[in-house]
Amino acid sequence: MSGRPTAPTPPAPSPAAAPTAHDAPGTPGAHGAPRPEVLAAFEAAKGFMPVGEGLALYAAAVEAAALGLPLVEVGTYCGRSTILLADAARGAGVTTVTVDHHRGSEEQQPGWEYHDPSVVDPVVGRMDTLPTFRRTLHAAGLEDQVVALVGRSPQIAALWQAPVGLVFIDGGHTDEHATADYEGWAPHLAPDGLLVIHDVFADPADGGQAPYRIYRRALDSGAFTEISAHGSLHVLRRTGAGS
């Protein structure tokens, strides 16, 4: 013996202190909520979705990702909601696919309420949110979980051949664009998959009606059953054939 006092043996950690799967990188937080760093990245990103609706989207994405199929977002903008979809996908080992032409929707053009001159390409004089989106994903550490398809939603949907676990429609808010997004992507939704529609307002005084009309169309088709709503975000499950 060296004669030096020995350090006391630390007690074994109690079961409550042991790490859980929810504490591991790349898995959702407890009760299906995003981990603090993911939520912080969402809040820091450029975009319009409120936190409460973001949490509802994340919960839907976690549930849908368990089907083992890709999650599809229509309307990327700068990647704010993509962060939540990508983190949910990472936890389940699936991929988020996000679709956008990155030239901005109608209300984001010059002279309109949601125009942001910081995302205008000074060379071509048009909106280009793709560079901001890529920086958003890089900052969140989620580049490997996302496939970004740059183009118009109906063209990409026409090429798509695989079933998906979630379709999140948050693109253009005209009837033409919202209808094209619904008709292009809803048929690819697998049984029990989730259709999530943003900016659904029953009262025209609260917002545009195009998302509301495709929401009603989905319900009236008999192919979807609403399972939750938070603010303007409505979540429907595929429970039948058709769209």
Side-chain angles (χ1 to χ4, degrees):
M1 295 180 65
S2 64
R4 293 181 298 177
T6 58
T9 302
S14 67
T20 68
H22 288 314
D23 297 317
T27 58
H31 310 298
R35 297 184 312 281
E37 64 271 23
V38 174
L39 186 58
F42 166 80
E43 292 186 278
K46 187 184 295 291
F48 309 104
M49 178 174 282
V51 171
E53 293 179 355
L55 294 176
L57 174 64
Y58 186 84
V62 169
E63 178 180 343
L67 295 173
L69 298 171
L71 313 180
V72 173
E73 174 183 48
V74 183
T76 312
Y77 190 52
C78 296
R80 183 176 172 94
S81 53
T82 317
I83 289 172
L84 301 178
L85 297 174
D87 188 65
R90 175 169 61 181
V94 300
T95 298
T96 289
V97 177
T98 187
V99 178
D100 202 315
H101 50 63
H102 287 280
R103 294 301 190 191
S105 57
E106 303 78 21
E107 66 272 18
Q108 294 162 1
Q109 302 307 315
W112 289 80
E113 180 180 1
Y114 294 105
H115 179 63
D116 183 348
S118 72
V119 292
V120 173
D121 183 333
V123 175
V124 302
R126 297 184 63 191
M127 287 188 63
D128 185 1
T129 56
L130 182 59
T132 304
F133 161 69
R134 297 199 67 176
R135 288 192 292 270
T136 297
L137 279 192
H138 176 76
L142 290 164
E143 290 178 291
D144 291 344
Q145 278 66 50
V146 177
V147 173
L149 300 180
V150 180
R152 299 197 172 273
S153 168
Q155 292 174 291
I156 296 172
L159 298 173
W160 191 267
Q161 298 295 318
V164 302
L166 178 143
V167 171
F168 173 44
I169 298 180
D170 193 21
H173 286 34
T174 64
D175 280 306
E176 175 189 1
H177 292 143
T179 298
D181 291 341
Y182 175 76
E183 292 181 347
W185 290 101
H188 296 299
L189 201 53
D192 294 322
L194 299 183
L195 173 65
V196 185
I197 306 175
H198 193 216
D199 294 326
V200 174
F201 298 106
D203 186 345
D206 295 329
Q209 291 293 283
Y212 177 73
R213 281 190 275 271
I214 63 169
Y215 157 76
R216 287 303 324 170
R217 177 176 170 179
L219 290 178
D220 294 344
S221 74
F224 297 95
T225 301
E226 184 160 9
I227 60 172
S228 68
H230 190 107
S232 72
L233 188 92
H234 289 248
V235 182
L236 291 71
R237 187 188 311 282
R238 177 178 283 289
T239 51
S243 57

